[in-house]
């Protein structure tokens, strides 16, 4: 055929079209693989963050389990830590009113922040929101005034709020905020401020981790005072003064209010104990912070004296079911710290003793060491050792064998699962070993509990989700999380729910960080991944001695090299994070030789730097890094006057408590060397914040 005929033109067109289709399919396949790889990296990054977060919660539960053990069995140490367990010294409401009176606190003329009038009005709270936007700080007088009014209001609210929505009025439900004021302000910007026409439910965990927890509380409490029927607050597991010691809220308050911080913390402790536990919408939707268990009964929850359960994070009450089942009939029972029996006033009457008293310090020092030896000999928490020792000098008749908690007390602690539990895909209800407290419950439990209470949906928070929300259990359970960029910029979106009379949830997602909104997907994943790997390298570094010992188990000929499979297995054995180590190998191990890892060289290449201090026992430094958060928590517990300073003797007792908790020996000389190396001005006291900052690890790879 001659050139240019219809047949040749048609063939050429078909050939070009075929090439275009093939090219499009190749590009599509490449793009899908590219997105899949990014998604795999994102999920792996997510697992790193979440595993490290939950490992920290496990550490906290173990630490307070140890404190509870000391409280019940070890009299001298009780003088150090009893104040975190006992009831508030001021019991009568009239005494509380006098203790927290704000009237003698003057507002100076130099104060430039907002001036509030009471009773609170919408205009007054709006001014407060604007002031916090401008980074202004509210005067302590007004803070105490808001908190006092909030306490009076919360005392008359029920454990479970019941609210109604109709065709003309939707309700907005928000999850964890964790001190991230930008997220709350963005929600108000997009959705409107709370009002009688714009009701809200905030589902707990307002505080900790972020830097603006108090500002969030003051805004929410302000709107609660103005619209008590239209703004509803549920308690979260972080509305707990014990948790606040570890996760930053206590430090935030004391940093912002040096003079009146102690009073503010005391009143917040009281307020947290009075926060409602759940909200029910139109008798069909249950909103609760953590979740449920197979024993959840809302009728029981509604009758609990919620303000008496002081410590929902207390492992002795969180895990009361497993404790009760594990103990044999003949063994002594540990008193639940939520059991306010007749013996409690004697515990509360224990005087606070200064560690400056040398005789008490000597008694405490020797007793701690004796207890350490006893615990090492028994290899763990043996509840029966006092029986073997008969009239041990550490025993106390006021703390003799506790009676079986009665049914009412067990019902009181049962609500802890509402704050700590997580859903799981499998049927059943098991102890939440990942967090160390609460339970995991399955779809069958959801169906049974919702069916028994004639409910159709459970809305909960407590878990960070990448998209800000997630359904599970056949869409009968919905998780909502409102703190965007929770782990790192770009790690997750925040979300809130709008719900109308049809009770169908509608989601609004957002990113509070402008930086994140400007990033591409690849940039966002890369940013978050680098942050997660930094955190993971720090975990590897602080466990380096344990890791080397574990690697040597697979290196009988001392070659310094092990296979990749053994490297992954040993690393998981030590860190127990449940991570896919072989997948992470390319990001953590820069070089291998025929599939073998030079583990000693790899440890050196972790690019972590540490402070150079003259300490006789370097193992104490590794213990410091490994237990950084636990040590800070103990410091803040021992610092009973919240001054931010502890004496050298208190510093020594802190380390003795930690070494006893860890079942390891740390010499007095090593502790003394460490104390003197950090006492920069040689005044005999240590600034807690300076000490913790001095021992913060730095990842050099982030600055290269």
């Amino acid at each position: 055929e001659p050139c240019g005929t219809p047949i040749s033109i048609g063939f050429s067109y078909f050939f070009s079209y075929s090439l275009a289709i093939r090219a499009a399919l190749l590009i599509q396949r490449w793009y899908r693989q590219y997105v899949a790889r990014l998604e795999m990296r994102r999920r792996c990054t997510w697992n790193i963050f979440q595993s490290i977060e939950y490992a920290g919660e496990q550490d906290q539960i173990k630490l307070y389990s140890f404190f509870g053990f000391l409280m019940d069995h070890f009299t001298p140490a009780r003088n150090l830590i009893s104040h975190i367990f006992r009831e508030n010294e001021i019991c009568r409401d009239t005494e509380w009113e006098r203790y927290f009176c704000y009237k003698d606190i003057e507002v100076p003329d130099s104060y430039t922040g907002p001036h509030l009038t009471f009773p609170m009005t919408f205009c007054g709270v709006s001014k407060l929101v604007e002031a916090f936007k401008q980074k202004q700080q509210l005067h302590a007088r007004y803070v105490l005034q808001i908190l006092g009014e909030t306490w009076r209001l919360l005392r008359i609210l029920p454990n479970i709020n019941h609210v109604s929505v109709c065709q003309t009025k939707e309700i907005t439900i928000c999850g964890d905020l964790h001190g991230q004021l930008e997220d709350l302000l963005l929600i108000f910007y997009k959705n409107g401020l709370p009002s009688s026409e714009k009701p809200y439910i905030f589902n707990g965990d307002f505080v900790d981790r972020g830097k603006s927890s108090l500002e969030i509380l003051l805004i929410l409490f302000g709107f609660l005072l103005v619209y008590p029927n239209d703004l509803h607050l549920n308690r979260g597991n972080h509305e707990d003064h014990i948790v606040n010691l570890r996760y930053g809220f206590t430090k935030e308050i004391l940093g912002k209010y040096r003079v009146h911080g102690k009073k503010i913390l005391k009143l917040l402790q009281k307020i947290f104990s009075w926060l409602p536990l759940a909200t029910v919408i139109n008798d069909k939707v249950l909103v609760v912070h953590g979740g449920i268990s197979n024993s959840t009964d809302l009728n029981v929850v509604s009758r609990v004296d919620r303000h008496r359960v002081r410590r929902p994070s207390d492992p002795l009450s969180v895990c009361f079911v497993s404790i009760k089942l594990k103990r044999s009939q003949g063994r002594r029972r540990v008193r639940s710290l939520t059991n306010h029996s007749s013996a409690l006033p004697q515990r509360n009457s224990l005087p606070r003793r200064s560690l400056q008293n040398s005789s008490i310090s000597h008694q405490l020092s020797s007793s701690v060491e004796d207890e350490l030896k006893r615990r090492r000999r028994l290899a763990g928490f043996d509840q029966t050792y006092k029986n073997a020792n008969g009239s041990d000098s550490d025993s106390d008749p006021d703390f003799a064998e506790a009676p079986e908690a009665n049914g009412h007390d067990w019902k009181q602690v049962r609500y802890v699962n509402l704050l700590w539990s997580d859903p799981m895909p499998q049927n059943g209800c098991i102890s939440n070993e990942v967090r160390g407290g609460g339970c995991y419950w399955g779809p069958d439990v959801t169906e049974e509990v919702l069916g028994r209470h004639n409910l159709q949906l459970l809305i909960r928070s407590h878990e960070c989700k990448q998209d800000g929300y997630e359904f599970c259990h056949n869409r009968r359970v919905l998780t909502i999380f409102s703190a965007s960029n929770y782990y790192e910029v770009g790690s997750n979106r925040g979300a809130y729910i709008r719900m109308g009379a049809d009770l169908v949830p509608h989601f609004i997602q957002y990113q509070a960080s402008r930086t994140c909104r400007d990033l591409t997907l690849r940039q966002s994943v890369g940013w978050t991944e680098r942050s997660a790997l930094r955190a993971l390298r720090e975990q590897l570094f602080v466990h380096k001695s344990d890791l080397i010992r574990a690697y040597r188990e697979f290196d009988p000929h001392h070659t310094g090299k092990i296979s990749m499979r053994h490297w992954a297995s040993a690393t998981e054995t030590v860190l127990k994070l449940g991570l896919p180590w072989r997948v992470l190998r390319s990001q953590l191990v820069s070089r291998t030789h025929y599939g073998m890892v030079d583990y000693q060289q790899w440890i050196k290449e972790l690019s972590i730097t540490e402070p150079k201090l003259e300490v006789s026992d370097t193992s104490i430094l590794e213990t410091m890094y490994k237990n950084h958060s636990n040590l800070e928590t103990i410091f803040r517990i021992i610092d009973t006057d919240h001054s931010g300073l502890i004496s050298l003797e208190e510093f020594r007792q802190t380390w003795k408590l930690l070494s006893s908790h860890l079942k390891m020996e740390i010499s007095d000389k090593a502790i003394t060397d460490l104390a003197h190396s950090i006492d920069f001005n040689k005044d005999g006291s240590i600034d807690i914040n300076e000490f913790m900052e001095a021992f913060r690890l730095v990842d050099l790879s982030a600055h290269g």
Side-chain angles (χ1 to χ4, degrees):
E1 288 286 336
C3 241
T5 64
I7 293 177
S8 63
I9 292 173
F11 179 79
S12 176
Y13 175 79
F14 175 78
F15 182 72
S16 299
Y17 178 75
S18 176
L19 282 176
I21 291 294
R22 289 177 61 191
L25 290 173
L26 285 172
I27 292 170
Q28 186 182 62
R29 186 172 70 175
W30 171 85
Y31 181 73
R32 285 176 176 170
Q33 291 174 344
Y34 169 77
V35 171
R37 284 194 297 270
L38 282 180
E39 179 61 21
M40 185 177 73
R41 286 170 59 192
R42 191 173 78 139
R43 290 186 182 185
C44 196
T45 297
W46 188 262
N47 287 339
I48 293 171
F49 278 130
Q50 201 165 62
S51 296
I52 293 174
E53 178 189 9
Y54 289 173
E57 292 186 349
Q58 272 189 26
D59 277 351
Q60 178 190 327
I61 294 292
K62 291 174 183 175
L63 180 63
Y64 289 112
S65 180
F66 169 64
F67 285 160
F69 174 82
L70 292 183
M71 282 293 294
D72 280 333
H73 300 294
F74 187 33
T75 305
R78 201 179 305 136
N79 299 325
L80 272 176
I81 61 176
S82 61
H83 62 283
I84 68 170
F85 292 104
R86 63 187 175 218
E87 290 281 302
N88 293 291
E89 299 92 329
I90 304 169
C91 299
R92 298 186 184 87
D93 291 342
T94 54
E95 293 178 1
W96 271 92
E97 296 281 359
R98 284 198 297 271
Y99 183 75
F100 295 112
C101 183
Y102 57 87
K103 294 178 181 177
D104 59 343
I105 302 175
E106 296 293 332
V107 180
D109 294 336
S110 59
Y111 171 68
T112 58
H115 291 267
L116 302 181
T117 57
F118 292 81
M120 292 287 287
T121 63
F122 178 82
C123 181
V125 186
S126 299
K127 282 186 357 186
L128 192 61
V129 172
E130 288 302 316
F132 290 154
K133 277 185 187 177
Q134 303 303 320
K135 310 296 184 185
Q136 293 180 341
Q137 184 168 306
L138 188 63
H139 194 275
R141 175 188 173 104
Y142 299 128
V143 173
L144 287 170
Q145 206 165 352
I146 289 176
L147 296 183
E149 294 295 327
T150 302
W151 170 60
R152 295 182 191 95
L153 173 59
L154 289 175
R155 288 165 55 209
I156 65 174
L157 296 182
N159 291 350
I160 302 176
N161 283 310
H162 288 264
V163 302
S164 299
V165 292
C166 59
Q167 296 292 342
T168 58
K169 185 165 74 172
E170 292 184 326
I171 194 164
T172 302
I173 305 157
C174 301
D176 298 34
L177 289 166
H178 277 300
Q180 297 185 188
L181 182 60
E182 298 84 358
D183 289 299
L184 179 63
L185 296 178
L186 184 57
I187 291 169
F188 286 162
Y189 173 78
K190 296 169 74 72
N191 196 60
L193 294 173
S195 69
S196 56
E197 301 303 316
K198 187 78 66 175
Y200 276 83
I201 298 171
F202 288 91
N203 198 26
D205 278 12
F206 320 116
V207 303
D208 279 333
R209 302 186 190 278
K211 297 179 180 179
S212 304
S213 297
L214 182 60
E215 286 78 4
I216 287 176
L217 283 181
L218 293 173
I219 290 172
L220 296 183
F221 291 164
F223 280 117
L224 177 67
L225 293 173
V226 178
Y227 301 109
N229 298 318
D230 300 291
L231 187 130
H232 308 279
L233 304 177
N234 291 341
R235 186 176 187 175
N237 63 304
H238 278 261
E239 279 66 66
D240 178 340
H241 72 286
I242 302 300
V243 178
N244 301 154
L245 286 167
R246 182 186 186 104
Y247 290 104
F249 186 44
T250 299
K251 183 178 177 181
E252 176 189 331
I253 297 293
L254 297 175
K256 291 176 178 177
Y257 295 93
R258 296 186 180 277
V259 177
H260 301 287
K262 185 178 178 181
K263 276 190 177 183
I264 292 171
L265 283 172
K266 199 91 173 153
L267 189 47
L268 282 167
Q269 178 181 341
K270 190 86 166 174
I271 286 172
F272 287 166
S273 73
W274 278 104
L275 284 170
L277 306 176
T279 305
V280 176
I281 306 171
N282 284 14
D283 295 324
K284 290 294 181 182
V285 178
L286 172 65
V287 185
V288 65
H289 178 73
I292 56 177
S293 70
N294 54 3
S295 62
T296 297
D297 185 335
L298 297 185
N299 296 316
V300 172
V301 172
S302 66
R303 296 194 301 271
V304 167
D305 292 329
R306 66 181 186 272
H307 65 290
R308 285 187 167 275
V309 188
R310 293 290 175 189
R311 297 194 55 242
S313 64
D314 177 12
L316 297 182
S317 51
V318 170
C319 305
F320 74 92
V321 175
S322 59
I323 289 174
K324 192 177 181 184
L325 291 175
K326 286 178 183 177
R327 291 185 183 145
S328 59
Q329 293 180 346
R331 300 182 72 181
R332 73 182 278 124
R333 295 181 177 88
V334 177
R335 183 202 314 272
S336 169
L337 297 175
T338 59
N339 175 14
H340 302 283
S341 64
S342 59
L344 190 58
Q346 287 142 332
R347 175 182 291 186
N348 294 344
S349 64
L350 285 170
R352 290 196 184 190
R353 304 183 187 181
S354 169
L355 286 174
Q356 305 301 329
N357 183 315
S358 59
S359 62
I360 293 175
S361 297
H362 175 73
Q363 178 194 14
L364 182 58
S365 173
S366 59
S367 300
V368 170
E369 289 164 0
D370 291 342
E371 175 65 7
L372 173 58
K373 291 174 184 176
R374 181 186 295 123
R375 290 189 66 225
R376 287 178 63 81
R377 187 172 63 251
L378 294 170
F381 292 172
D382 190 329
Q383 309 292 338
T384 64
Y385 77 83
K386 283 194 178 181
N387 296 340
N389 289 317
S391 57
D392 194 308
S393 60
D394 288 347
S395 65
D396 186 330
D398 292 343
F399 290 83
E401 183 168 347
E404 176 79 53
N406 60 40
H408 178 68
D409 292 321
W410 286 119
K411 289 176 183 177
Q412 276 204 317
V413 299
R414 191 172 292 171
Y415 90 91
V416 170
N417 285 325
L418 299 176
L419 307 185
W420 278 89
S421 297
D422 296 307
M424 65 177 181
Q426 301 85 7
N427 285 338
C429 186
I430 60 174
S431 176
N432 192 332
E433 300 294 343
V434 176
R435 287 189 189 269
C439 72
Y440 277 119
W441 87 93
D444 57 329
V445 175
T446 294
E447 292 294 329
E448 193 277 325
V449 173
L450 295 188
R452 178 157 35 91
H453 294 92
N454 197 26
L455 299 166
Q456 66 184 47
L457 179 65
L458 166 62
I459 297 177
R460 44 92 61 177
S461 301
H462 194 43
E463 285 184 286
C464 183
K465 298 297 179 184
Q466 289 184 337
D467 292 320
Y469 72 93
E470 183 179 276
F471 277 106
C472 65
H473 293 185
N474 302 313
R475 298 179 72 87
R476 302 292 301 277
V477 173
L478 169 59
T479 299
I480 187 74
F481 196 86
S482 298
S484 65
N485 308 303
Y486 177 63
Y487 293 122
E488 178 57 86
V489 173
S491 64
N492 67 285
R493 287 186 279 186
Y496 59 90
I497 299 168
R498 284 200 194 116
M499 181 175 284
D502 58 2
L503 302 182
V504 175
H506 301 278
F507 307 101
I508 294 85
Q509 299 168 290
Y510 54 85
Q511 288 274 13
S513 169
R514 184 178 298 277
T515 302
C516 183
R517 293 196 293 269
D518 295 336
L519 296 176
T520 65
L521 176 61
R522 182 178 181 178
Q523 289 171 330
S524 177
V525 170
W527 186 313
T528 311
E529 184 180 59
R530 285 191 293 274
S531 177
L533 290 172
R534 278 199 302 274
L536 187 56
R537 277 194 293 270
E538 286 183 9
Q539 290 293 311
L540 291 164
F541 179 81
V542 301
H543 289 86
K544 59 183 180 181
S545 295
D546 295 333
L547 286 169
I548 289 174
R549 279 193 293 271
Y551 296 149
R552 284 174 178 165
E553 292 288 322
F554 295 105
D555 183 22
H557 301 296
H558 308 292
T559 64
K561 296 178 182 178
I562 56 174
S563 69
M564 183 55 59
R565 179 170 63 87
H566 288 154
W567 173 85
S569 174
T571 304
E572 175 57 29
T573 300
V574 172
L575 266 67
K576 298 180 174 63
L577 293 177
L579 293 174
W581 295 104
R582 298 184 77 170
V583 174
L584 290 167
R585 190 270 310 167
S586 60
Q587 289 135 310
L588 294 174
V589 182
S590 58
R591 292 190 301 272
T592 58
H593 186 67
Y594 297 108
M596 303 293 284
V597 178
D598 185 333
Y599 57 86
Q600 291 179 328
Q601 183 62 30
W602 172 71
I603 289 286
K604 293 177 184 177
E605 292 174 354
L606 282 174
S607 301
I608 304 292
T609 188
E610 52 186 321
K612 303 298 182 185
L613 294 170
E614 294 182 6
V615 178
S616 59
D617 184 357
T618 56
S619 66
I620 197 172
L621 296 180
E622 187 167 337
T623 303
M624 168 73 207
Y625 304 137
K626 197 183 303 183
N627 298 276
H628 191 274
S629 296
N630 281 344
L631 194 58
E632 183 172 8
T633 302
I634 300 174
F635 277 148
R636 297 199 183 280
I637 288 170
I638 289 178
D639 179 26
T640 54
D641 62 355
H642 299 300
S643 66
L645 299 172
I646 58 173
S647 69
L648 295 180
E649 179 60 27
E650 288 170 329
F651 180 86
R652 199 172 74 84
Q653 300 308 332
T654 297
W655 275 95
K656 287 297 182 183
L657 277 177
L658 182 64
S659 64
S660 182
H661 168 55
L662 299 175
K663 292 179 283 187
M664 63 179 292
E665 261 188 276
I666 302 174
S667 70
D668 281 342
K669 185 178 188 309
I671 296 172
T672 302
D673 286 351
L674 184 61
H676 287 299
S677 69
I678 208 70
D679 181 16
F680 301 117
N681 58 4
K682 307 303 177 187
D683 65 350
S685 63
I686 295 172
D687 184 300
I688 297 173
N689 293 332
E690 285 185 7
F691 178 82
M692 301 310 296
E693 192 60 36
F695 281 83
R696 199 167 301 281
L697 297 173
V698 177
D699 186 349
L700 295 179
S701 66
H703 306 281

